[in-house]
Amino acid sequence: MADGPWLVVGLGNPGPQYAGNRHNVGQMVLDELARRTGSSFGARASGLLSRRPQAAVAETRLGVLPGGAPGPRVVLAKPTTYMNVSGGPVAALAKYYDVPVDRVVMVHDELDIPFADVRLKRGGGEGGHNGLRDTTKALGTKEYVRVRVGIGRPPGRQDPADFVLKDFTKTEAKDLGWLVDRAADAVEAVVLEGLEAAQQRFHTKP
């Protein structure tokens, strides 16, 4: 499996009414990765998506290896199910592409990290995140990589469930592009350099 693909999944909810929500920042990062690689989400071969209709997929290579060779193969995926049932599409894609769990990378919003911070880890708890909880259940393990995109805690007594389903504030929106770009850099670092090296880079504020 040394030359096998990675599966990078951006979590979110489907439909334009959710597209700008904090809960959908993982899918914003996937859109940035697709832009960088010149790829687009959809069928890459006749009938391919008909066998897995619960995700939009782009197959590409990410980054550049030393010497200028194209980076590793990656499958970029955005589940088209609702967040709390993301696990089925993730498990189906991992099986379809024969991706081991140590090459599955989940990109998601994280309440317990300040806005604009990015943190990386493998395994651990789901922190109340329904998309991760369902992914863990479907994969049968917690030992996948998480790229955690900080959105901060809700102000005052606002319900976290309401907070994540609202768009970023005007003030946050000024830094959102930078945050999405940094999270995309973090995904590239995991794929190209490994988790530990990526953690050393992204767990220190720039």
Side-chain angles (χ1 to χ4, degrees), residues 22 111 151-166:
R22 294 180 177 92
L111 285 165
I151 62 171
R153 301 295 303 181
R157 298 184 178 180
Q158 185 177 359
D159 186 341
D162 292 333
F163 178 72
V164 299
L165 292 177
K166 293 187 182 299

Side-chain angles (χ1 to χ4, degrees), residues 29 33 36 113-114 116-121 146-150 178-206:
V29 175
L33 290 169
R36 291 182 181 188
I113 295 175
D117 281 1
V118 175
R119 295 289 183 269
L120 312 169
K121 73 174 184 177
R146 298 100 183 273
V147 174
R148 308 158 73 202
V149 186
W178 179 88
L179 173 59
V180 167
D181 194 57
R182 183 165 171 78
D185 288 345
V187 173
E188 285 197 21
V190 169
V191 171
L192 289 168
E193 304 167 25
L195 178 59
E196 290 187 8
Q199 286 173 323
Q200 290 176 8
R201 285 179 52 191
F202 288 91
H203 289 192
T204 302
K205 271 190 170 294

Side-chain angles (χ1 to χ4, degrees), residues 1-201:
M1 285 303 300
D3 297 322
W6 290 73
L7 174 60
V8 180
V9 180
L11 291 179
N13 284 309
Q17 70 270 38
Y18 298 107
N21 289 180
R22 294 180 177 92
H23 225 15
N24 276 48
V25 72
Q27 296 203 348
M28 298 176 196
V29 175
L30 267 284
D31 288 337
E32 169 60 17
L33 290 169
R35 185 198 67 77
R36 291 182 181 188
T37 58
S39 55
S40 57
F41 290 96
R44 299 300 297 272
S46 179
L48 193 60
L49 276 184
S50 66
R51 295 197 291 274
R52 53 173 200 280
Q54 294 184 309
V57 174
E59 299 174 43
T60 187
R61 288 186 177 271
L62 193 58
V64 179
L65 297 172
R73 293 166 53 210
V74 296
V75 178
L76 305 176
K78 298 190 297 182
T80 54
T81 58
Y82 284 97
M83 178 74 82
N84 63 348
V85 287
S86 301
V90 175
L93 287 165
K95 181 178 181 181
Y96 182 87
Y97 286 102
D98 195 22
V99 179
V101 70
D102 63 348
R103 285 177 175 253
V104 174
V105 180
M106 305 297 294
V107 187
H108 63 91
D109 59 302
E110 179 58 71
L111 285 165
D112 292 327
I113 295 175
F115 173 75
D117 281 1
V118 175
R119 295 289 183 269
L120 312 169
K121 73 174 184 177
R122 183 188 305 281
E126 291 86 17
H129 196 292
N130 289 332
L132 293 181
R133 182 181 293 116
D134 198 62
T135 297
T136 295
K137 180 180 177 182
L139 291 176
T141 178
K142 299 175 182 284
E143 297 303 307
Y144 48 88
V145 175
R146 298 100 183 273
V147 174
R148 308 158 73 202
V149 186
I151 62 171
R153 301 295 303 181
R157 298 184 178 180
Q158 185 177 359
D159 186 341
D162 292 333
F163 178 72
V164 299
L165 292 177
K166 293 187 182 299
D167 288 359
F168 291 94
T169 65
K170 289 183 179 180
T171 299
E172 290 170 334
K174 294 177 182 178
D175 292 321
L176 181 58
W178 179 88
L179 173 59
V180 167
D181 194 57
R182 183 165 171 78
D185 288 345
V187 173
E188 285 197 21
V190 169
V191 171
L192 289 168
E193 304 167 25
L195 178 59
E196 290 187 8
Q199 286 173 323
Q200 290 176 8
R201 285 179 52 191

